[in-house]
């Protein structure tokens, strides 16, 4: 193993993005468990955590990874399709962020987001990522850029309320959703 043992940092851009995909898959699975148990508060927090992770992930892909993939592979159509899929996911994310934790539409909207993300991830991991690996892209340098931007976004977004127009937003003080009660 390498001597660099700072908390499981990915070695290249594809590994970093794949790790993000795995994290979101786990969050969706945990959401489903809570859906069956019926813990509304935890389920609502998980939905918002999914939205936060996906917002950061789509931002770093669109700002850094996709332009590099387009440049290195010349595959404009593949990148445009991925950006269109992000737009669909962002609409669902905005809808979820506007729902209260006990809203009956929450489960269905999270399920729609999960299906959209699973489709998108499948395409990226089977088409775009292999093409990126075969291209001349410096995936190590890209990884550093992605990681730096990701940390900046995590910092910026942790200071903002996650629920926009819901009644929970008024008492919310942190990204975890600790409402005054």
């Amino acid at each position: 193993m390498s001597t660099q043992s700072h908390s499981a940092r990915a070695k290249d851009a594809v590994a970093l993005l794949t790790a993000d995909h795995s994290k979101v898959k786990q969050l969706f699975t945990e959401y489903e468990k809570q859906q069956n148990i019926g813990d509304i508060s935890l389920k609502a927090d998980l939905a918002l955590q999914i939205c936060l992770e996906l917002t950061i992930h789509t931002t770093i892909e669109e700002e850094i990874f996709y332009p590099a993939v387009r440049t290195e592979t010349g595959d404009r159509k593949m990148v445009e399709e991925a950006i269109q899929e992000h737009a669909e996911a962002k609409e669902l994310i905005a809808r979820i962020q506007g729902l209260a934790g006990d809203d009956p539409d929450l489960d269905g909207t999270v399920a729609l987001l999960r299906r959209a993300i699973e489709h998108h991830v499948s395409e990226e991991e089977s088409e775009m990522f292999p093409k990126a690996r075969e291209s001349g892209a410096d995936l190590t340098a890209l990884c550093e850029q992605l990681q730096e931007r990701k940390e900046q976004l995590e910092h910026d977004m942790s200071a903002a309320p996650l629920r926009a127009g819901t009644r929970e937003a008024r008492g919310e003080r942190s990204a975890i959703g600790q409402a005054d009660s």
Side-chain angles (χ1 to χ4, degrees):
M1 296 290 195
S2 77
T3 54
Q4 290 181 314
S5 62
H6 39 278
S7 65
R9 280 209 189 253
K11 289 175 283 312
D12 71 36
V14 171
L16 177 102
L17 297 173
T18 303
D20 279 0
H21 291 170
S22 297
K23 182 175 183 179
V24 169
K25 283 179 197 170
Q26 286 178 300
L27 288 168
F28 277 122
T29 300
E30 188 58 37
Y31 180 91
E32 262 181 19
K33 280 185 203 163
Q34 295 310 319
Q35 194 177 336
N36 296 331
I37 295 169
D39 186 333
I40 290 171
S41 175
L42 184 52
K43 193 176 69 166
D45 285 349
L46 283 164
L48 292 175
Q49 185 64 36
I50 289 166
C51 291
L52 179 67
E53 296 291 335
L54 289 173
T55 299
I56 291 170
H57 181 79
T58 57
T59 302
I60 65 173
E61 281 186 334
E62 290 175 13
E63 289 179 0
I64 299 165
F65 188 70
Y66 290 170
V69 167
R70 184 186 301 123
T71 299
E72 293 297 333
T73 67
D75 196 334
R76 180 177 295 283
K77 185 175 180 285
M78 175 179 63
V79 172
E80 286 171 3
E81 187 179 312
I83 290 170
Q84 179 56 42
E85 289 173 354
H86 278 188
E88 293 164 21
K90 287 175 188 175
E91 285 179 30
L92 292 168
I93 287 167
R95 198 177 321 161
I96 289 166
Q97 289 173 323
L99 295 174
D102 59 354
D103 193 303
D105 291 337
L106 186 62
D107 291 348
T109 309
V110 170
L112 284 173
L113 180 61
R114 182 179 190 160
R115 281 196 295 278
I117 293 302
E118 285 173 348
H119 168 80
H120 176 70
V121 163
S122 160
E123 284 190 347
E124 274 189 345
E125 291 183 359
S126 67
E127 295 171 36
M128 185 181 287
F129 291 178
K131 284 185 179 180
R133 284 206 185 283
E134 292 163 13
S135 77
D138 183 344
L139 296 178
T140 305
L142 262 180
C143 181
E144 289 171 20
Q145 291 172 41
L146 290 167
Q147 189 67 48
E148 192 174 298
R149 181 66 175 128
K150 187 176 174 179
E151 287 169 9
Q152 180 185 16
L153 289 165
E154 286 168 348
H155 177 267
D156 293 350
M157 290 183 185
S158 69
L162 294 176
R163 285 189 183 90
T166 64
R167 59 184 174 269
E168 285 97 331
R170 286 191 291 275
E172 190 170 273
R173 287 195 314 258
S174 78
I176 306 302
Q178 297 171 336
D180 293 328
S181 40

